[in-house]
Amino acid sequence: MNKPIHIVHIISALTFGGAERFVVDLINNSDKEKVRFSIITTRDENPLQAQIKRGDVNIEVIEKKGKISFGLFSAIKNKLQELQPDIVHTNLFVGDFWGRVATCKLSLPTITTEHNVNIGESWLHG
């Protein structure tokens, strides 16, 4: 049997929103034999964690402090090096911005899901 692919999701939190529900549903409906998951969040607000049906999903909280949290790039990069993912899937501004910088530094294959287009938000959103 082949080793399952390891996907790490990066998202701000697992609160009650569409992107968060997407991550939970994707995990719940994936084949355990083929895919394993970890999740990196930047806030310890993860009520949807209770709805993840798989007991093998690790959630890592790397706290984002303020709008500009320069240490966050390194902290996410270090956690990704520890987790050794095959693919990183970023979601929402926090994952897309802060996570993409970290994955680029590690040359990791990365998928970004655009959940919505927020034309009026500044680049420091999140």
Side-chain angles (χ1 to χ4, degrees):
M1 182 165 97
N2 292 332
K3 179 177 131 182
I5 294 170
H6 184 200
I7 298 174
V8 173
H9 284 276
I10 303 176
I11 191 165
S12 54
L14 289 177
T15 54
F16 298 103
E20 299 83 351
R21 175 88 260 154
F22 167 78
V23 171
V24 170
D25 289 345
L26 184 65
I27 291 169
N28 285 341
N29 291 289
S30 294
D31 187 337
K32 269 186 165 184
E33 302 295 319
K34 295 180 181 175
V35 186
R36 73 181 182 98
F37 294 95
S38 297
I39 303 171
I40 295 174
T41 67
T42 58
R43 296 193 326 252
D44 195 14
E45 298 174 51
N46 300 308
L48 285 183
Q49 179 178 357
Q51 294 184 17
I52 296 174
K53 296 175 186 172
R54 295 173 53 160
D56 64 337
V57 178
N58 188 31
I59 297 181
E60 302 283 344
V61 178
I62 301 174
E63 190 173 337
K64 181 177 180 282
K65 297 175 171 84
K67 290 281 186 191
I68 300 175
S69 183
F70 291 112
L72 191 58
F73 292 126
S74 293
I76 291 172
K77 184 179 105 176
N78 292 341
K79 184 53 69 177
L80 289 170
Q81 286 176 312
E82 178 187 321
L83 293 172
Q84 297 283 306
D86 297 302
I87 300 170
V88 176
H89 187 167
T90 65
N91 298 273
L92 301 176
F93 181 84
V94 167
D96 296 345
F97 180 71
W98 300 91
R100 291 282 303 183
V101 171
T103 61
C104 285
K105 290 181 180 272
L106 296 171
S107 299
L108 289 170
T110 307
I111 298 167
T112 298
T113 299
E114 182 72 39
H115 295 279
N116 54 40
V117 179
N118 299 315
I119 295 169
E121 292 179 350
S122 77
W123 70 276
L124 284 176
H125 176 75

